[in-house]
Every structure is written in C-alpha cells, then in structure tokens.
Amino acid sequence: MRSLHFYFLWPTAPAPGNVFFAANGAYFGFKATIPANTGYHLATFAITAAIGFGFVAAMDLVPQIFVAMKLAGSAYVLWLAWKLFTADALNDRQTARPATLWDGIILLVLNPKAYVIIALMFTQFLTSDTNNQTGTVLFITAVFTLNNLIAFSLWALLGDRIAKVFHSPHSARRLNRAFGAILAAVALWMLVA
C-alpha cells in the first residue's frame, strides 16, 4: 500500500458539505451541527467502505445509478440553497431548525462528487497486490472519514465565528443569501460536472 498523504482538508473545488456545515454553523452555532456532522460521517464511513469493497464495479454495471444520484443530489442541494437563501435573519429560529442526523446522511448519499473522490482515492492507495485488502480498505476508510470529520467541523466552526461578525438582522440576512447563492452554484456545478 502506498503511503497515505491526505492533503485535502480544505478542498479546492466547491463541495456541498463545506458550505452546508459553514452555513449551519453560522445560523445555529457549532454545537447544533454535531447531529448532521455525525450523520454525514456515518454515511461517509459506510459509503467509503462499500466503494472500497466493490460498489464502483456495481455502478459500472448500471451507470444509470450514478446519473440518478447526480440529479437527486443536485436537486437536494438546490433545495437546501433555496431554504438558506430565503431564511430570515437570526431571529427566525422559531421556524428554522438545525440540520439533523438524517440531513447529514442524505447530503452524503446524494452527493455524486463524494463517490468520485472516494473512488479516485482507492485507485491511488489500494492495489490488487495488497496482502490484506479488507484491512487496507477499512484503514483507508477510517482515515478518510476522520479527515472529513475534522474538515467539516472546522467549516462549521468557521461559520459559527462568521455569524458573530454578522450579528445584526440585516447582515445575517445577507450572510444567509451569500451562503444560499454559493450552495446553489455548487448544486448547478454538481449537475453539469
């Protein structure tokens, strides 16, 4: 197995998870992002292990699965963007709710970009001549999941800190619209990429 160098704590390409957790951290605070972060990373571990153990081969047999996930994922992220863009300022907490464990799971499951990144990662670090394939897949899965957990926790913390600066209703509304617009751009990018 090649040595693992995970250098992508801060992905250069836009990703729905980054914006999602930053926006939730900004709107509800860091602690409120923990359930969604947990769901996202439970799903990350499961999907990464599944891909490592051959899910990619199954998707090659039925490529329509990837297309359907791409469409569903883009629609879901666009819906999240709309909800964020139309959210009122921070005083609208009576109707707004923090993202849940299930929201985190859905965000990962419907994110085709994650599948591509995971599959590419296995092409780099898993070879056919690896002695203990099961152990290697589980090790890569654990390291990748931990890396993402740290990164998305930092995004949520960053969002929480940004909200402290944008504390007036007017500036909070502008922040919501900015996060919503960015998330909508990510959804459209997911659709055409």
Side-chain angles (χ1 to χ4, degrees):
M1 180 176 76
R2 297 179 193 169
S3 122
L4 294 175
H5 297 283
F6 287 93
Y7 51 86
F8 45 86
L9 264 177
W10 300 94
T12 55
N18 304 40
V19 178
F20 176 81
F21 286 106
N24 271 273
Y27 199 75
F28 298 106
F30 176 77
K31 285 183 188 175
T33 66
I34 293 172
N37 213 343
T38 301
Y40 189 93
H41 290 93
L42 287 172
T44 297
F45 188 89
I47 297 289
T48 304
I51 289 173
F53 289 123
F55 185 62
V56 171
M59 286 181 64
D60 282 344
L61 295 174
V62 187
Q64 294 82 1
I65 292 173
F66 188 78
V67 173
M69 286 176 38
K70 180 178 182 175
L71 293 173
S74 297
Y76 181 68
V77 171
L78 196 55
W79 178 78
L80 289 172
W82 176 252
K83 296 295 280 179
L84 186 59
F85 190 83
T86 59
D88 276 340
L90 297 175
N91 60 2
D92 191 29
R93 293 183 195 271
Q94 307 86 296
T95 58
R97 64 167 180 77
T100 66
L101 180 100
W102 287 109
D103 292 325
I105 290 171
I106 291 168
L107 183 64
L108 187 276
V109 169
L110 295 180
N111 182 359
K113 181 183 177 202
Y115 291 78
V116 172
I117 289 170
I118 293 165
L120 289 173
M121 176 185 63
F122 278 111
T123 66
Q124 295 297 309
F125 300 117
L126 186 65
T127 61
S128 59
D129 61 345
T130 303
N131 291 338
N132 180 3
Q133 292 257 340
T134 300
T136 303
V137 166
L138 290 175
F139 177 73
I140 291 170
T141 298
V143 170
F144 180 73
T145 302
L146 180 61
N147 177 74
N148 280 326
L149 177 63
I150 292 168
F152 288 173
S153 294
L154 290 173
W155 278 103
L157 190 60
L158 176 68
D160 186 24
R161 297 299 174 239
I162 287 173
K164 305 269 189 270
V165 175
F166 293 90
H167 60 275
S168 76
H170 179 68
S171 60
R173 199 171 297 111
R174 284 195 337 232
L175 181 63
N176 287 345
R177 290 197 174 118
F179 276 133
I182 292 168
L183 201 53
V186 169
L188 295 175
W189 177 81
M190 287 171 59
L191 191 58
V192 298

